[in-house]
Amino acid sequence: MLSFLRKQPLLRVASRMFSDISKIRNIGVSAHIDSGKTTFSERVLYYAGKIDRIHEVKGSDGVGATMDFMELEREKGITIQSAATFLEWKDHPINLIDTPGHVDFTIEVERALRVLDGAVLLVCGVSGVQAQTYTVYKQMERYKIPRIVFINKLDRLGANPIAITAMLKQKLGVVAEMLQIPIGEDDQFIGLVDLIKMKAFYFEGISGEEIREGEVPAKLMDQATKARQALLDKIVDLDETLGEKFLMEEPITEQDIKAAIRRQCLLRKFIPITMGSAYKNKGVQLALDAVLDYLPAPNEKVNMAFQKVVDPTTKKVEEAQIELKADTKMPFVSLAFKLEENRFGQLTYCRVYQGKLKKGDTIVNMRTNVKVRVARMAKMHANKLEDIDEIGAGDIFALFGIDCSSGTTFTKMDKGGEISLSSMFVPDPVLSVSIKLKDKKKSEKLQKAMKRFNREDPTFTFNVDSESEELIISGMGELHLQIYAERLKREFEIDIELGAPTVNYRETISAKTAYNYLHKKQSGGAGQFARVIGYLEPINDLAEKSKDTDIFVNQFISKTVGENVPNEYIVAVEKQFYDSCAKGPLTGYPMINTRMVFTDGETHVVDSSANAFQTATRYAISAAFQKSGNLLEPIMAVEITVPKDMYSPIMNSVTKRKGLVTNTETQGEFFILQAKVPLANMFGFSGELRGFTQGQGEFSMEYLTHEPVSADEQAEVIKKIKKVRTDAKQT
Ligand code: GDP
């Protein structure tokens, strides 16, 4: 029991938490698959006293299928299954945040990366920089995340940290130097020389937990001196403060060197390289020291948020960017970045960006404005959960039983104002696919799963098609949906069949188009009579404004004068317009960016009715769209990274898919291409890329906008959409 308490010094953490933001580290470990991320993380937990023994991961069979990560994790018996695991290293609280396995979930990646302050980039000591290393590196650049490198697998035959360091510099174009060199190689690898301390460290005991310090072995002295010089030269060059000391010939201490490395690492101008063998339990502790020494505390990172402002004249809600301060005295602002249902129940992982939170406080969901009282909060250890009473800026914790979707910002509104960490606008899903349940009895379970996925990820939606009665799931890309389909099988044991994916088109009017439609049926029985006159036009002014937010609106304006059309019929026309917006006249996909102006009409004393006006409006809109309706398709921003020699097949493939290349660059050994490509043309691309590059290529795509389908293709596409609908109805 005593030893248990020693390993869980949580009360101390809770009491000093508010004064010690500078000690907290929120870090992630990222790597190309199979580099040893899991093995490394397991050691981290072990050395921090979070787990009693090391569980070996099973040898991977190189399952490249990125979708298998969840199953793989389970099979491997990995301890880290939670979104954020708490540990302590040398009196520093560290939150180890799980980084997503794949890059296609734009929103998830964004969320996971924004809650990290720093990262350990793991590379294999034999293979070095692989395609995914590059992708992960680029993402960290994009989110301005300082990082250190850990070159792993130094026990393997052919591992060579010097060559890998050169490769990192060359392939990624980074400024980086080794902080250590290995003692011994292959299976004789036993320790490291620390080039700052100029001491040797050996990792002994059953699991490498006993660190023995010694003198630098004589036969390595020459190599170590040279490597230290290379490190110092680089740092003196980069860091003005150290450079000055050097010029003045003042003595340079270990602390001076570390401080200079830290400054340059935080500025992302320098990457310190650590190394070892996670599997053979060597070097991980020194990498953890480097996390403390060189990666930022929460108050050393700039975090921006959006604040809602209402334009006083137009009353439109807009967003202004503000900077948050990792200070417990500021108003509370926190981001729910991951929902998780595990054996402890429904947990919502949150990062506190500003202020503090106590058990019993009331927080406000910035999406729904719903207030909730915080009844229970906790920190997640490797396999235990610890209740806590309060939490402060910069830290990560979990809420219990709170109903929200991930990406939700919580504040204590009375003080914080309407602040949100992510833009409040969630993009519309761009791709849909129908789901067929193999076992009809599971439909209730399916509904439950759908609701949960949608809560976790608002870019995943579902609905039942009113015509075909099929369940349709929608999301941001093919892989995005495939992963959810896979999760249905694995987590909910629901077997399904997926239909062919269809992209989510939109309709709009391309130019001002007049309408004058008479709906008249006066033969026998109650008659119908209604004439509607006016025009439809694109909303250019609003479209400009809403571009950033992906919100495309429609608008109805009545400019009727006099008594020609009584008010109740105007209401009917307006209602029909908005109904038609939901189901556009060309294909049934929603209409966007369209304004209907109603100028005049004609009625009949007996035969006019709201119903007749609705029918007239429907036909009027339909006729206008037949004349100048545009079908819009989702356009994706695609980024492809391939080995340099794959340049031409990739260019050809993108051109064949009607992509517009927006940028190309060569970075070291890689060729990177950015393009705008219609989503409808991207089907099957991942398979093709894999084929071309034998798994050495990577790509990611993100929704950009909707653009008109080319004029010569529109009729054909409409025909296809209608055929898919009819086929679905018949099956
Ligand atoms: P991940 O896919 O990045 O999480 O990688 P894993 O931690 O699952 O490791 C992939 C494979 O590499 C497993 O078979 C590990 O046992 C092995 N591995 C991990 N670290 C090392 C290491 O330091 N040396 C050696 N020889 N193998 C390692």
Side-chain angles (χ1 to χ4, degrees):
M1 188 63 196
L2 266 180
S3 75
F4 168 77
L5 282 178
R6 264 205 306 277
K7 276 181 193 154
Q8 310 284 323
L10 254 190
L11 287 177
R12 275 195 300 125
V13 174
S15 58
R16 60 157 195 230
M17 148 177 70
F18 294 158
S19 56
D20 261 344
I21 292 175
S22 65
K23 284 202 166 179
I24 301 176
R25 298 289 180 275
N26 295 315
I27 59 157
V29 180
S30 292
H32 186 90
I33 189 158
D34 268 354
S35 306
K37 178 177 145 180
T38 316
T39 312
F40 178 85
S41 305
E42 187 88 5
R43 270 44 176 196
V44 168
L45 293 178
Y46 177 73
Y47 297 132
K50 292 285 124 182
I51 49 174
D52 296 336
R53 61 185 197 91
I54 290 166
H55 308 265
E56 253 5 295
V57 300
K58 279 191 207 162
S60 163
D61 52 1
V63 192
T66 38
M67 252 162 40
D68 286 348
F69 63 93
M70 270 173 285
E71 183 78 341
L72 279 178
E73 286 200 342
R74 214 171 299 141
E75 280 172 8
K76 286 170 171 180
I78 294 168
T79 325
I80 310 188
Q81 276 159 345
S82 58
T85 307
F86 176 75
L87 57 112
E88 269 196 307
W89 182 247
K90 300 195 172 165
D91 225 17
H92 281 66
I94 298 181
N95 294 300
L96 190 62
I97 295 151
D98 191 28
T99 51
H102 204 274
V103 288
D104 208 45
F105 306 102
T106 322
I107 279 209
E108 270 214 55
V109 174
E110 269 190 43
R111 256 188 241 127
L113 291 187
R114 79 172 298 166
V115 297
L116 317 173
D117 295 321
V120 180
L121 180 64
L122 219 76
V123 292
C124 169
V126 181
S127 321
V129 177
Q130 289 157 286
Q132 218 177 326
T133 322
Y134 186 76
T135 314
V136 170
Y137 169 81
K138 281 277 285 208
Q139 270 173 4
M140 288 180 186
E141 271 300 285
R142 192 165 151 198
Y143 292 94
K144 301 191 168 62
I145 298 170
R147 73 226 79 140
I148 63 169
V149 162
F150 182 80
I151 302 178
N152 191 29
K153 305 200 184 181
L154 290 194
D155 61 298
R156 275 185 56 190
L157 188 70
N160 183 346
I162 297 167
I164 302 294
T165 301
M167 194 179 186
L168 279 164
K169 292 183 192 172
Q170 188 214 355
K171 287 201 171 179
L172 302 179
V174 296
V175 179
E177 291 297 340
M178 299 187 293
L179 303 187
Q180 304 145 352
I181 56 165
I183 306 176
E185 48 187 41
D186 309 339
D187 55 355
Q188 300 301 310
F189 169 59
I190 49 170
L192 297 167
V193 174
D194 179 322
L195 298 174
I196 300 173
K197 290 193 166 92
M198 281 305 263
K199 290 275 178 209
F201 290 88
Y202 301 93
F203 306 87
E204 297 172 348
I206 295 171
S207 305
E209 67 278 17
E210 289 163 22
I211 301 178
R212 180 168 61 83
E213 194 179 317
E215 294 309 317
V216 177
K219 64 174 192 290
L220 285 180
M221 199 42 145
D222 195 32
Q223 192 199 346
T225 310
K226 280 192 189 132
R228 176 183 160 91
Q229 202 51 49
L231 171 68
L232 288 183
D233 285 351
K234 191 57 63 55
I235 288 298
V236 163
D237 216 28
L238 287 172
D239 191 79
E240 233 174 81
T241 318
L242 192 70
E244 214 146 278
K245 272 200 154 184
F246 186 76
L247 271 183
M248 301 312 231
E249 294 184 2
E250 286 175 31
I252 292 177
T253 64
E254 181 188 328
Q255 286 321 316
D256 291 334
I257 302 172
K258 282 188 173 174
I261 295 179
R262 178 173 184 81
R263 280 189 293 272
Q264 298 311 315
C265 183
L266 296 195
L267 289 169
R268 289 176 295 114
K269 296 212 165 126
F270 179 75
I271 301 182
I273 298 180
T274 63
M275 58 191 71
S277 160
Y279 182 61
K280 291 285 169 74
N281 308 315
K282 300 202 184 336
V284 176
Q285 296 98 322
L286 297 196
L288 270 172
D289 288 348
V291 164
L292 305 187
D293 287 339
Y294 309 122
L295 292 182
N299 55 353
E300 290 170 303
K301 282 283 298 275
V302 175
N303 286 297
M304 304 300 287
F306 299 95
Q307 185 148 34
K308 261 192 201 171
V309 276
V310 181
D311 188 314
T313 37
T314 62
K315 301 276 180 270
K316 263 195 78 149
V317 178
E318 287 173 11
E319 296 178 327
Q321 278 216 312
I322 54 161
E323 192 182 323
L324 298 176
K325 284 213 171 63
D327 181 345
T328 51
K329 290 182 209 75
M330 296 290 288
F332 174 74
V333 180
S334 151
L335 176 76
F337 63 92
K338 180 97 188 174
L339 309 185
E340 203 176 81
E341 209 165 290
N342 59 25
R343 63 185 193 282
F344 301 109
Q346 158 81 49
L347 296 183
T348 305
Y349 285 87
C350 299
R351 164 159 178 169
V352 186
Y353 281 90
Q354 217 180 243
K356 62 177 178 237
L357 184 70
K358 286 200 175 84
K359 200 168 123 182
D361 283 353
T362 298
I363 53 174
V364 189
N365 178 328
M366 289 286 103
R367 279 213 178 119
T368 59
N369 272 325
V370 171
K371 291 190 176 170
V372 270
R373 197 177 153 270
V374 176
R376 196 176 167 198
M377 37 203 262
K379 273 195 158 271
M380 188 73 190
H381 296 247
N383 38 22
K384 294 188 199 74
L385 191 132
E386 185 108 9
D387 278 274
I388 53 169
D389 290 334
E390 55 183 358
I391 193 92
D395 218 337
I396 284 172
F397 72 109
L399 285 167
F400 273 86
I402 297 274
D403 189 21
C404 72
S405 47
S406 69
T408 299
T409 301
F410 286 104
T411 68
K412 293 187 207 162
M413 177 102 119
D414 46 336
K415 291 188 193 136
E418 289 196 88
I419 290 177
S420 175
L421 276 148
S422 43
S423 171
M424 283 157 265
F425 304 105
V426 178
D428 272 348
V430 287
L431 191 80
S432 298
V433 62
S434 65
I435 279 190
K436 267 208 188 86
L437 202 55
K438 286 194 181 151
D439 178 358
K440 289 274 180 328
K441 281 193 260 61
K442 294 207 168 155
S443 81
E444 209 169 293
K445 210 169 170 186
L446 180 67
Q447 284 286 334
K448 210 175 133 198
M450 294 284 112
K451 281 191 189 140
R452 188 168 130 211
F453 292 163
N454 172 252
R455 263 209 328 258
E456 284 177 16
D457 173 2
T459 60
F460 172 90
T461 61
F462 64 99
N463 70 301
V464 176
D465 186 276
S466 56
E467 285 168 29
S468 64
E469 292 185 357
E470 273 180 323
L471 180 69
I472 311 283
I473 58 172
S474 307
M476 301 313 292
E478 213 175 351
L479 187 64
H480 188 202
L481 294 180
Q482 279 169 357
I483 296 218
Y484 281 110
E486 202 58 33
R487 283 185 65 185
L488 276 180
K489 276 189 208 151
R490 294 189 172 168
E491 291 171 41
F492 292 83
E493 286 157 358
I494 299 175
D495 252 349
I496 50 154
E497 222 171 83
L498 285 181
T502 53
V503 310
N504 293 340
Y505 293 92
R506 294 286 177 265
E507 296 182 17
T508 195
I509 199 88
S510 61
K512 185 168 173 178
T513 309
Y515 60 86
N516 181 342
Y517 192 88
L518 173 66
H519 172 59
K520 187 171 147 190
K521 226 173 123 200
Q522 290 176 308
S523 50
Q528 291 189 29
F529 186 100
R531 183 190 291 277
V532 289
I533 304 169
Y535 55 92
L536 293 176
E537 62 178 357
I539 313 182
N540 291 321
D541 44 346
L542 279 183
E544 275 311 308
K545 260 203 125 152
S546 58
K547 252 191 191 140
D548 289 341
T549 57
D550 296 330
I551 293 221
F552 296 97
V553 284
N554 298 302
Q555 192 181 35
F556 176 83
I557 300 178
S558 168
K559 288 190 180 167
T560 53
V561 282
E563 305 284 303
N564 277 359
V565 190
N567 199 39
E568 64 175 298
Y569 298 158
I570 298 175
V571 173
V573 174
E574 177 169 6
K575 181 177 179 306
Q576 180 57 50
F577 170 67
Y578 286 113
D579 284 354
S580 297
C581 287
K583 264 186 156 211
L586 298 178
T587 57
Y589 280 107
M591 193 193 288
I592 58 173
N593 216 30
T594 302
R595 179 185 289 129
M596 176 172 192
V597 180
F598 182 38
T599 54
D600 205 358
E602 195 186 333
T603 54
H604 181 274
V605 265
V606 183
D607 293 340
S608 280
S609 64
N611 211 357
F613 267 89
Q614 277 188 286
T615 310
T617 307
R618 202 172 69 237
Y619 282 121
I621 294 173
S622 185
F625 265 74
Q626 293 307 332
K627 210 157 136 200
S628 35
N630 257 351
L631 192 63
L632 306 172
E633 63 178 338
I635 303 293
M636 309 301 278
V638 179
E639 183 171 310
I640 308 162
T641 305
V642 291
K644 248 185 335 200
D645 55 348
M646 297 313 302
Y647 164 87
S648 88
I650 286 304
M651 278 298 246
N652 287 346
S653 170
V654 170
T655 318
K656 195 184 71 200
R657 292 167 191 274
K658 302 206 169 110
L660 183 73
V661 177
T662 51
N663 188 35
T664 58
E665 60 184 291
T666 320
Q667 280 252 2
E669 296 292 303
F670 291 100
F671 171 67
I672 304 129
L673 180 148
Q674 287 157 334
K676 283 167 60 178
V677 192
L679 175 62
N681 300 347
M682 283 303 288
F683 293 142
F685 181 72
S686 57
E688 187 182 54
L689 182 68
R690 217 176 300 131
F692 277 154
T693 61
Q694 285 84 43
Q696 285 294 299
E698 281 276 315
F699 88 105
S700 67
M701 62 179 183
E702 202 174 331
Y703 168 72
L704 198 61
T705 186
H706 269 79
E707 278 179 11
V709 172
S710 69
D712 48 330
E713 281 176 34
Q714 177 159 315
E716 196 53 38
V717 177
I718 292 176
K719 222 161 104 199
K720 253 196 225 156
I721 295 170
K722 288 187 172 157
K723 184 171 179 312
V724 171
R725 291 254 162 78
T726 338
D727 290 352
K729 247 192 276 182
Q730 282 162 357
T731 50

